[in-house]
Amino acid sequence: MAKGKYEKWMTKEGKAVLANWARIGLTDEQIAHNMGISPSTYYVWKKKFPEISETIKDGKDVIDAVVVNALIKQAKAGNMQAITFWLRNRMPEYFRDNSYKELNEAQAAKAKEDARRAKAEADIMEAKAKRETSENTSNITINIKPIQQDGGNDSAD
């Protein structure tokens, strides 16, 4: 019976490779690619095989701790970018970057105003067209000449 492809990653060596990929900061999609599987299969395996999931989580925890420590060190040293990043992510209710939200709201308001203006211009053009059509047809004079009948006699008298 053939071994399942996942079994390679359940070995001591396989788990060491997975942990290393996670530790160097690869995304789940990159790890799946390196494993030779699709991201959907990767997520199924993480749910189905806790050893794989835990190995990757442990690897990510290591790098996350290193990055957090470096960030804290930079923030303590007065690095404003590090301080801003920390505050926005740790206390987003107080330090959230609202510029995207405000930009989206402004774009939505402008789009609404543009649509209102376009409709008003279309209504004005339609009213002008109706008025011009009405004025042009009211000045038309139709001359109808009566048809004379000579009694059906084609001879000259």
Side-chain angles (χ1 to χ4, degrees):
M1 182 172 187
K3 272 183 141 181
K5 198 172 185 180
Y6 71 90
E7 289 182 12
K8 171 183 177 181
W9 305 107
M10 304 285 271
T11 66
K12 183 177 180 181
E13 295 81 15
K15 288 193 266 184
V17 170
L18 291 175
N20 186 52
W21 287 339
R23 206 173 8 263
I24 63 172
L26 295 186
T27 65
D28 285 341
E29 290 75 17
Q30 292 169 322
I31 294 172
H33 174 78
N34 288 354
M35 292 172 75
I37 59 174
S38 69
S40 60
T41 299
Y42 171 81
Y43 292 117
V44 168
W45 285 7
K46 277 181 65 174
K47 286 183 183 177
K48 192 172 182 180
F49 306 112
E51 286 182 66
I52 291 175
S53 180
E54 289 168 16
T55 298
I56 293 168
K57 181 189 177 304
D58 291 346
K60 287 183 177 187
D61 287 347
V62 170
I63 190 63
D64 289 347
V66 169
V67 170
V68 167
N69 287 334
L71 178 62
I72 291 170
K73 187 175 182 179
Q74 286 293 310
K76 285 181 177 180
N79 181 327
M80 290 308 294
Q81 188 175 6
I83 293 169
T84 302
F85 182 83
W86 181 264
L87 292 173
R88 284 185 179 163
N89 286 284
R90 294 288 289 187
M91 303 171 72
E93 63 278 7
Y94 300 109
F95 299 99
R96 180 175 296 131
D97 183 6
N98 289 322
S99 61
Y100 292 114
K101 180 182 175 191
E102 292 167 1
L103 177 61
N104 287 341
E105 289 172 353
Q107 288 173 333
K110 184 181 182 319
K112 190 175 182 179
E113 179 60 24
D114 289 347
R116 187 196 64 75
R117 183 176 292 121
K119 183 179 181 329
E121 289 172 359
D123 290 345
I124 290 168
M125 295 298 290
E126 183 179 358
K128 284 181 181 179
K130 284 182 181 177
R131 187 175 64 227
E132 287 175 8
T133 303
S134 174
E135 288 173 359
N136 290 341
T137 57
S138 65
N139 292 333
I140 296 176
T141 304
I142 300 175
N143 293 322
I144 302 175
K145 293 182 181 180
I147 301 176
Q148 295 182 356
Q149 293 184 347
D150 56 359
N153 189 352
D154 289 346
S155 64
D157 287 332

